[in-house]
Amino acid sequence: MMGRKKEKELPLQSLPPKHKSRAEDNDYKESEANDDPAVQQLNISDESTEEVVIPHTNPLGQWGNQIQFVLSLVAASVGLGNIWRFPYLCQQHGGGVFLIPYTLMLFLEGIPMFYLEVAAGQRRQKGPIGVWKEKSPYMAGIGIGNCVVSFIIGLYYNVIITWCLFYFGNSFQAELPWAKCPVDNGTVVKECELSDSTTYFWHREALNASPSIEEPGVMNWKMTLCLFSTWVVCYLCLCRGIKSAGKVVYVVSIVPYVILTIFLVRGLMLPGASSGLAHILTPKWEKLGDPQVWLDAATQIFFSFGVAFGYLVAFASYSRHNNDCRRDVLLVSFTNYATSIFASVVIFCVLGFKAHTNFNDCLMRDRLVIADYWGSNISSVNDSVVFEMCNNSTYTNNTNASVINESSMKLECCQLTKLLDTSAQGTGLAFIVFTQAMLEFPAPPFWSVIFFLMLLTLGVGSQIAIIEGVITTLCHIKAIRLRREIITGIVCGLSFLICLIFVTQAGEYWVKVFDAYGGSLSLMIIAFFEAIALWIYGIDKFSKDIEAMGQKKPNLYWIITWRLAPFLMFAMFAASIVGQIINPDKYSAWRADKGESVKVEYPVLARLVGSFLVIIVTIWVPVVALIHAISKRRRNLQNEDGAVPDDDSGHSSNEVDDLSNELPLDNDDNGQGETSSTIPVLETK
């Protein structure tokens, strides 16, 4: 016998098709509803006396299949940092021993925070603002911070993709344009002669770099066209939401692994590859005592996993409510981890070859110097003579019994280990070191094309995720009553206009400012607040939310790491601040008259801009919390005077927050910002 019935208001789009059709169409067809998978899964029947629990569904859509969701997470988390940041850190911090702190931080920081965001997004089926507001109304500002920081990072990240596109386009030539120094009136351009062809091409032909961040110079029209093209591609990938982005991930998540494998096979066959691998894998145990090693391991894990960007929550909100998100998190996490190691092997095979080639060239130059000093043929001077002279400072020539001092001849005395130690990261690795190494390959244009194609696909995959975090947030705000295509167009168009600062002659310097402040410190602060929000909401309550999705209750590992998360986030942020105080940030300014980059401290303007970026991201958390506190206080005072009755849901009015009702309301299926219709659902008890 059925118990007493009570009406409960639920959003129309949160109901399975069976209940929707009953509310909208009196000619409901029973047979069609019974065939609906969602209804069958919920076991809903007219005679049921049990409480009906209906999961929310994201009104903006769902992934076509679970493979799209996993590949999207892989494409988002595996990015350019895996290729040009992680190998550098291994090389700088003790080779294979760096994997110890890196692995530890993976389990203490990376995977727990990754799981937190994915599970929260899947459970609530909302964007970042809605998810964090439900954790605590005081923490709704976290979602806004996620949106703003993703917007800032998306600006300069797309510029890096622009640089890759420029090099990709220039690779379709019989002779790569950075293969030789240009000649002017029969003489080599001095700036190129002072540096080398690849360095000159990067700083002069690609960037047309000014000597200072305070000298913006003129806009680079070639880069401007490439920048416009990249934002057009970004729009096309995102304008239809996951319907379009879900198809793109098949390419951007798989192609990089195919190209990395090709480079690995070729790299292992290169002379010097074994030296590069031995250098990167040989552990230097004393490095474990260096605090900087642990900080770099923590920050690399943090940024590689995309924590606090907001796109993890956004992507998960499009997933099925009962999806095994813990499985997906572990799969993507270990894929990311393995990709970093895989990329390091590939990179140092090639860098080992480059060091080996440079070492042999250095030996040849020293042999020429010695032969000229002796007045003999170079064939009479072998490598052992150079080694002995460089190691012993003096060498006795048995032919004429003369003693030769290496300093008098100014021998270079190159060492292979030092050449391997002289590495680069970021743009220096991709656009200078690697491009120079590929010039020694057979058919350099082919290798250049596939290398920059790999960087493009890695960059586009991450960029789609970053901007999706922005657009999903905006589409869930009721006040924005626009279609998704229009919102995407506005975001991409505005981003292009702001990015014009990055295609000036000082553009690279401003990219570093945005990266150092808007993309580093800001993320750490937001991640700290996310961990605090979980504490406020309750770890036990969050564990029950996960159980409600049909998953196992989080075990002791998850509980402990979530409790430690605020302390780890704060420690990482504090260490970064202390590091900047002790060693203030500097940027590498290009000096054309010297043919080299020199370290220069940021001017006051750059630091002010950087501080503004941090403030504009993080200020939303305290501001929203303050507004909520004031609103709640006003409601309480009105309640005491009896001016405001309880609301329709049964909650007292002092529990209702004005800001909460304004910020993160779900939109309709078209993303036009309209409020959802509601119908009464009978609940038995």
Side-chain angles (χ1 to χ4, degrees):
M1 184 174 181
M2 297 184 65
R4 189 178 55 175
K5 299 180 179 178
K6 184 177 71 174
E7 290 188 351
K8 180 180 179 181
E9 295 284 322
L10 285 180
L12 179 59
Q13 73 266 26
S14 70
L15 302 179
K18 178 176 179 179
H19 288 263
K20 275 189 183 181
S21 54
R22 281 183 172 178
E24 297 173 345
D25 187 0
N26 293 328
D27 298 326
Y28 169 74
K29 297 182 179 180
E30 186 72 23
S31 59
E32 293 182 4
N34 291 336
D35 292 336
D36 191 288
V39 177
Q40 294 174 359
Q41 183 178 2
L42 292 169
N43 294 321
I44 298 176
S45 66
D46 293 335
E47 302 301 325
S48 174
T49 60
E50 298 180 356
E51 180 179 351
V52 178
V53 181
I54 301 174
H56 299 285
T57 56
N58 194 326
L60 301 181
Q62 285 189 326
W63 295 106
N65 54 65
Q66 203 55 30
I67 295 178
Q68 287 186 0
F69 173 57
V70 173
L71 290 180
S72 296
L73 292 181
V74 171
S77 61
V78 177
L80 297 173
N82 298 76
I83 303 297
W84 65 28
R85 175 66 175 167
F86 180 81
Y88 168 80
L89 292 177
C90 283
Q91 183 263 343
Q92 290 291 308
H93 295 322
V97 79
F98 181 71
L99 292 178
I100 295 177
Y102 187 77
T103 303
L104 186 60
M105 292 302 171
L106 171 73
F107 286 100
L108 288 179
E109 172 194 27
I111 296 178
M113 293 299 293
F114 196 0
Y115 187 31
L116 165 62
E117 293 198 11
V118 171
Q122 180 174 304
R123 169 62 176 166
R124 297 303 175 190
Q125 300 283 291
K126 294 181 178 179
I129 294 179
V131 165
W132 296 113
K133 187 202 74 171
E134 291 195 11
K135 293 288 181 287
S136 170
Y138 291 98
M139 290 295 178
I142 293 176
I144 305 177
N146 290 145
C147 180
V148 176
V149 76
S150 290
F151 180 76
I152 292 173
I153 293 174
L155 294 176
Y156 70 81
Y157 201 89
N158 209 46
V159 175
I160 298 175
I161 301 174
T162 298
W163 295 338
C164 295
L165 180 61
F166 177 79
Y167 268 77
F168 178 72
N170 278 278
S171 298
F172 291 92
Q173 301 183 37
E175 183 180 48
L176 294 175
W178 53 84
K180 295 179 181 179
C181 284
V183 177
D184 185 18
N185 294 326
T187 59
V188 176
V189 175
K190 185 178 179 180
E191 184 179 357
C192 186
E193 187 178 14
L194 291 172
S195 54
D196 57 66
S197 59
T198 54
T199 304
Y200 171 83
F201 186 86
W202 166 243
H203 288 289
R204 184 55 53 213
E205 297 295 335
L207 300 179
N208 192 23
S210 66
S212 168
I213 193 173
E214 297 176 291
E215 301 177 42
V218 298
M219 288 179 55
N220 186 331
W221 68 269
K222 292 179 289 187
M223 282 297 177
T224 303
L225 291 177
C226 291
L227 178 68
F228 179 78
S229 300
T230 56
W231 279 114
V232 169
V233 170
C234 186
Y235 172 81
L236 294 176
C237 291
L238 292 170
C239 63
R240 298 185 62 204
I242 58 174
K243 292 181 180 179
S244 53
K247 305 297 187 297
V248 176
V249 295
Y250 287 108
V251 176
V252 298
S253 62
I254 296 175
V255 169
Y257 289 98
V258 175
I259 298 178
L260 273 176
T261 303
I262 295 173
F263 267 100
L264 176 64
V265 174
R266 179 66 184 117
L268 290 174
M269 296 187 294
L270 294 172
S274 58
S275 299
L277 291 178
H279 184 76
I280 191 64
L281 297 177
T282 301
K284 300 178 181 66
W285 299 104
E286 66 277 6
K287 288 286 188 177
L288 287 177
D290 185 356
Q292 187 64 39
V293 174
W294 294 85
L295 177 61
D296 284 345
T299 52
Q300 176 62 19
I301 282 288
F302 179 80
F303 297 125
S304 179
F305 276 66
V307 175
F309 281 77
Y311 64 71
L312 295 178
V313 173
F315 277 178
S317 71
Y318 297 121
S319 190
R320 297 194 319 271
H321 184 268
N322 62 346
N323 172 55
D324 188 354
C325 61
R326 184 184 310 176
R327 174 203 60 200
D328 295 340
V329 164
L330 294 175
L331 176 61
V332 174
S333 298
F334 290 119
T335 299
N336 190 330
Y337 179 83
T339 302
S340 296
I341 299 175
F342 182 36
S344 297
V345 171
V346 174
I347 293 297
F348 272 89
C349 279
V350 177
L351 294 184
F353 163 70
K354 178 179 178 294
H356 181 268
T357 302
N358 291 343
F359 179 68
N360 287 336
D361 291 343
C362 181
L363 279 177
M364 181 60 68
R365 290 193 296 269
D366 283 349
R367 288 174 62 191
L368 285 171
V369 171
I370 296 172
D372 183 64
Y373 188 89
W374 284 354
S376 61
N377 192 284
I378 190 174
S379 60
S380 63
V381 183
N382 54 37
D383 294 346
S384 61
V385 174
V386 179
F387 296 149
E388 187 170 350
M389 291 187 66
C390 290
N391 293 331
N392 300 322
S393 296
T394 60
Y395 176 78
T396 302
N397 180 9
N398 295 326
T399 303
N400 55 20
S402 62
V403 177
I404 303 172
N405 188 291
E406 58 87 15
S407 61
S408 64
M409 291 185 292
K410 298 181 180 179
L411 300 180
E412 296 182 48
C413 293
C414 297
Q415 298 180 24
L416 183 60
T417 54
K418 287 187 177 180
L419 290 173
L420 287 168
D421 282 334
T422 307
S423 185
Q425 64 168 322
T427 55
L429 174 63
F431 302 114
I432 298 177
V433 176
F434 222 82
T435 52
Q436 186 183 47
M438 288 185 295
L439 291 175
E440 306 296 332
F441 287 14
F446 167 76
W447 296 102
S448 182
V449 166
I450 65 171
F451 175 70
F452 288 108
L453 176 62
M454 177 184 69
L455 295 186
L456 278 172
T457 52
L458 285 170
V460 169
S462 298
Q463 180 71 352
I464 288 174
I466 292 170
I467 302 302
E468 178 61 35
V470 178
I471 295 173
T472 298
T473 301
L474 296 178
C475 287
H476 277 88
I477 296 178
K478 178 185 175 182
I480 302 178
R481 298 176 178 273
L482 298 172
R483 295 184 63 85
R484 181 189 172 94
E485 293 87 346
I486 298 176
I487 294 175
T488 306
I490 292 174
V491 170
C492 292
L494 178 62
S495 299
F496 168 73
L497 295 177
I498 297 175
C499 282
L500 292 178
I501 188 178
F502 300 127
V503 292
T504 63
Q505 291 182 262
E508 184 195 15
Y509 310 143
W510 283 111
V511 166
K512 293 177 180 178
V513 171
F514 273 61
D515 182 42
Y517 292 91
S520 296
L521 295 178
S522 301
L523 283 172
M524 295 180 190
I525 298 173
I526 293 298
F528 170 75
F529 283 124
E530 287 185 1
I532 293 297
L534 179 61
W535 272 30
I536 296 175
Y537 182 73
I539 294 177
D540 291 338
K541 187 176 180 181
F542 184 63
S543 299
K544 293 179 180 178
D545 287 347
I546 294 176
E547 283 188 281
M549 294 189 292
Q551 300 182 37
K552 294 181 180 179
K553 182 178 181 180
N555 57 32
L556 193 60
Y557 160 73
W558 301 106
I559 303 300
I560 293 176
T561 52
W562 283 333
R563 293 192 185 280
L564 290 175
F567 301 102
L568 288 175
M569 297 297 106
F570 180 79
M572 188 167 58
F573 171 74
S576 298
I577 294 296
V578 171
Q580 289 199 12
I581 294 175
I582 297 175
N583 298 308
D585 281 337
K586 296 181 179 181
Y587 70 99
S588 297
W590 178 248
R591 295 288 188 263
D593 56 337
K594 297 180 179 180
E596 62 180 11
S597 297
V598 296
K599 289 290 185 179
V600 181
E601 288 193 5
Y602 283 112
V604 175
L605 175 62
R607 295 189 182 278
L608 289 176
V609 172
S611 301
F612 171 77
L613 294 175
V614 175
I615 293 172
I616 199 65
V617 170
T618 57
I619 197 172
W620 297 103
V621 178
V623 165
V624 171
L626 180 62
I627 293 176
H628 175 75
I630 294 174
S631 177
K632 186 175 181 179
R633 173 64 177 168
R634 186 180 71 247
R635 292 281 187 175
N636 287 338
L637 292 176
Q638 291 174 341
N639 242 8
E640 292 175 0
D641 296 337
V644 181
D646 291 350
D647 67 353
D648 295 336
S649 64
H651 297 291
S652 60
S653 58
N654 63 355
E655 296 175 312
V656 180
D657 177 55
D658 290 343
L659 180 68
S660 305
N661 292 332
E662 293 172 3
L663 280 178
L665 294 182
D666 289 338
N667 291 342
D668 62 359
D669 292 284
N670 294 325
Q672 296 178 352
E674 299 176 4
T675 55
S676 306
S677 302
T678 58
I679 62 172
V681 179
L682 297 179
E683 177 181 292
T684 61
K685 69 179 211 177

